[in-house]
Amino acid sequence: MSVLKRRSNNIKDGQYVIAFSDSRALIDISKDCGMTWTRRQPSDLPNVNEYFFSNDRTRIAMSGDGRHIYCSCYMANVGLLRSTDFLETAEPFKPDNCYSVYSIACNGRGNLVAIVCQNSNNKYDLMLSGDYGKTWRGSNGLKDNTVPLMGVEMSHSGRYVSGICVKFSLLYYP
């Protein structure tokens, strides 16, 4: 959506903000550019695995209007979290053949979602959804990758998706 159209629809850039603290197991959401905040904690969402709130590898993606929030959690078989109401409620889900999720991104509307996950063959996939995370397909170019994919980014329009690979690792011996 163009900046002019966003302004004519009274959508302010930065109006919706989300903050995450794994050490305090909290997710805070603001609908007014950070002036006021609504706090979510594990007890607010009893059907959600507590690891979404207390894992330093939890990643969050949010649509431009703040309504669609997606969380990924790098823990075996924890999966993903989807909310369509500013995290008042949340629905945990997991794509088929997805063991651990490393990263998540969505476009400005929230309907296009991309994840990087480790599959059941211990390889890495970039998976895409065009229907708010309800169904998934693997990316043809980045499927069963032996090079670890550690992150994913998506443009506001959803036209561009990039996977972040780790080719080299540094070992430290104290």
Side-chain angles (χ1 to χ4, degrees):
M1 180 182 303
S2 72
V3 172
L4 183 59
K5 190 171 183 181
R6 289 173 58 80
R7 302 269 189 232
S8 67
N9 289 334
N10 203 22
I11 298 172
K12 300 177 196 170
D13 291 328
Q15 179 176 354
Y16 301 96
V17 185
I18 193 162
F20 170 70
S21 171
D22 65 308
S23 62
R24 295 176 54 207
L26 303 170
I27 297 174
D28 293 322
I29 301 168
S30 174
K31 298 178 186 177
D32 57 7
C33 303
M35 298 300 287
T36 61
W37 294 87
T38 302
R39 177 159 286 167
R40 294 286 170 246
Q41 52 195 354
S43 60
D44 296 331
L45 301 165
N47 65 326
V48 173
N49 190 315
E50 66 187 58
Y51 285 118
F52 280 107
F53 289 88
S54 61
N55 188 327
D56 65 346
R57 291 189 180 180
T58 293
R59 301 295 179 254
I60 299 174
M62 183 172 60
S63 63
D65 66 0
R67 181 163 305 280
H68 300 280
I69 297 172
Y70 302 93
C71 297
S72 68
C73 181
Y74 175 71
M75 294 294 288
N77 291 316
V78 173
L80 300 165
L81 188 65
R82 174 180 46 226
S83 176
T84 59
D85 57 6
F86 302 100
L87 217 53
E88 291 293 324
T89 61
E91 173 189 1
F93 66 102
K94 197 173 108 184
D96 292 339
N97 200 30
C98 187
Y99 184 70
S100 294
V101 181
Y102 288 91
S103 186
I104 191 163
C106 70
N107 69 342
R109 288 183 48 209
N111 62 321
L112 301 175
V113 186
I115 62 169
V116 169
C117 68
Q118 187 174 16
N119 63 32
S120 58
N121 296 330
N122 212 18
K123 294 184 179 176
Y124 302 87
D125 293 338
L126 174 64
M127 297 186 72
L128 305 167
S129 172
D131 57 4
Y132 300 94
K134 293 176 186 157
T135 60
W136 295 87
R137 66 176 174 80
S139 167
N140 293 336
L142 294 171
K143 186 166 177 55
D144 276 340
N145 215 349
T146 56
V147 177
L149 295 167
M150 301 308 288
V152 63
E153 298 291 333
M154 184 181 291
S155 64
H156 183 80
S157 68
R159 184 174 180 190
Y160 301 103
V161 177
S162 64
I164 301 164
C165 296
V166 175
K167 285 186 129 183
F168 305 101
S169 61
L170 176 64
L171 298 175
Y172 174 70
Y173 296 99

